[in-house]
Amino acid sequence: IMDMTDIPPLSAIDRFASAWRKATRDIPLVFWVIDNYQCLENEDINQFLLHMLEADLENLRIILISSRQNDQTLHGLVRINQVFSITAKTLAFNCAEVGDLLHAWSIPHTENHLERIMNATDGWAFAVSEYARQIVEQVDAPTIDAVFDPIRCHQLLRGECYINYARTTQLLLIKLSLLPAFSTEIVKMLSEDTLAATFYDFHTNPFILHDPQRRLFRLQVNYRQFLQMQ
C-alpha cells in the first residue's frame, strides 16, 4: 500500500524502475491494484503510471478500477497500447454463456429459455446468476418457466446508481425510463441540473448503455424496471 507521498518524482523513475527489478526479480508477476481510480485527480500519478509502463517492467501488471468509463486520465496509456479495458458490456453474458451456466447448474433449457433470460437481464452477470439461483431454489421441481423476481437486482441498483444521485438526476432518470431509447438532445431538454453534472453521472453509470451507431442511449432492462417503480 503506497501513500501519495510515496510516489517518487519523475526525475527518479529510472532509479525506481531499477530498484523494482531487483526487489521483484524472483516474483513472476506483481499486480498493483488501484481502486476508485476516478477519485485520483492527480496528474503526477497518471504520469508515474505511464512512465512505469514505458520502463518495460515485464512482471508488472497495473489494474485500475474506475467507475468512469473511458477515463480521460488513461489516454496516455492508450497511446502506447498498454491498456486492456474491461467494462460492464465486456462482462455481460451472451446466450451461449447463459446456456453454459444453466448446464453447470443442471438446469434443463431450450433456446427459447435462453432468449427469455437474455431479455430479462440484458446479460448482466448478477441478474443472470440471480435468475439461475431462483430456479435452483424452487421448492417444487426446478423449472425455468417460473417468473423471475428481480428484487435483489433492484436493491443493488438502488444503492449503486440511484440514492447517491441528486434528486434532480433521480427524477431525470425516472423520466428517461419511460423511453425505450433517448438522445443527448432529449437529456438536455429534460435536465433540470447543470448539463456537466448530469453527463458526468451518466458517463459513470454502467447501466446506461450507449449505441454509437444510432447515437442513442438506453437503460439496462433491470435498471429501467427499477426506475419505473420509483
Side-chain angles (χ1 to χ4, degrees):
I1 300 176
M2 297 180 69
D3 188 79
M4 288 279 290
T5 55
D6 295 327
I7 301 295
L10 295 181
S11 59
I13 195 71
D14 290 337
R15 295 197 305 275
F16 184 85
S18 178
W20 177 281
R21 290 189 182 91
K22 291 179 181 178
T24 64
R25 60 181 170 225
D26 296 325
I27 305 176
L29 280 178
V30 179
F31 292 92
W32 186 5
V33 182
I34 303 178
D35 199 359
N36 293 319
Y37 187 70
Q38 74 281 357
C39 297
L40 293 177
E41 301 292 344
N42 187 294
E43 186 58 25
D44 288 342
I45 291 181
N46 299 330
Q47 289 299 316
F48 172 76
L49 296 177
L50 178 60
H51 282 74
M52 284 290 285
L53 291 172
E54 288 177 332
D56 196 25
L57 302 172
E58 294 182 357
N59 66 342
L60 175 63
R61 302 292 184 273
I62 300 176
I63 300 175
L64 307 179
I65 304 173
S66 173
S67 66
R68 182 184 299 146
Q69 301 182 52
N70 301 319
D71 199 307
Q72 296 294 318
T73 58
L74 300 182
H75 283 183
L77 304 182
V78 172
R79 189 178 65 251
I80 62 172
N81 197 29
Q82 290 281 6
V83 170
F84 178 73
S85 180
I86 300 176
T87 66
K89 184 177 181 180
T90 309
L91 297 175
F93 280 60
N94 57 36
C95 265
E97 291 166 337
V98 172
D100 290 341
L101 177 66
L102 297 182
H103 179 74
W105 285 24
S106 301
I107 300 174
H109 57 276
T110 65
E111 289 297 320
N112 287 337
H113 289 141
L114 298 182
E115 291 182 12
R116 181 189 302 179
I117 293 176
M118 288 296 294
N119 290 335
T121 64
D122 265 340
W124 178 27
F126 180 83
V128 171
S129 60
E130 179 65 11
Y131 203 129
R133 182 191 65 79
Q134 290 182 21
I135 295 171
V136 170
E137 292 182 356
Q138 289 175 46
V139 176
D140 301 323
T143 170
I144 206 167
D145 294 316
V147 177
F148 173 52
D149 182 359
I151 183 63
R152 290 185 65 194
C153 298
H154 292 176
Q155 290 171 345
L156 187 151
L157 291 166
R158 178 178 179 80
E160 292 292 328
C161 298
Y162 186 73
I163 61 173
N164 52 327
Y165 290 151
R167 184 56 182 163
T168 50
T169 301
Q170 292 176 353
L171 292 174
L172 173 61
L173 286 167
I174 291 171
K175 293 175 184 176
L176 293 174
S177 71
L178 302 177
L179 304 173
F182 53 90
S183 64
T184 55
E185 288 72 20
I186 291 177
V187 174
K188 292 176 183 178
M189 289 172 54
L190 296 177
S191 180
E192 298 177 9
D193 207 342
T194 60
L195 288 177
T198 298
F199 283 116
Y200 177 82
D201 288 336
F202 280 30
H203 189 59
T204 58
N205 188 327
F207 299 99
I208 298 178
L209 310 178
H210 181 215
D211 183 345
Q213 292 184 337
R214 299 173 60 200
R215 297 184 179 180
L216 293 175
F217 297 85
R218 71 176 180 88
L219 301 174
Q220 191 270 350
V221 61
N222 305 114
Y223 192 46
R224 186 182 181 198
Q225 292 167 349
F226 161 74
L227 291 169
Q228 290 174 348
M229 295 171 61
Q230 302 312 302

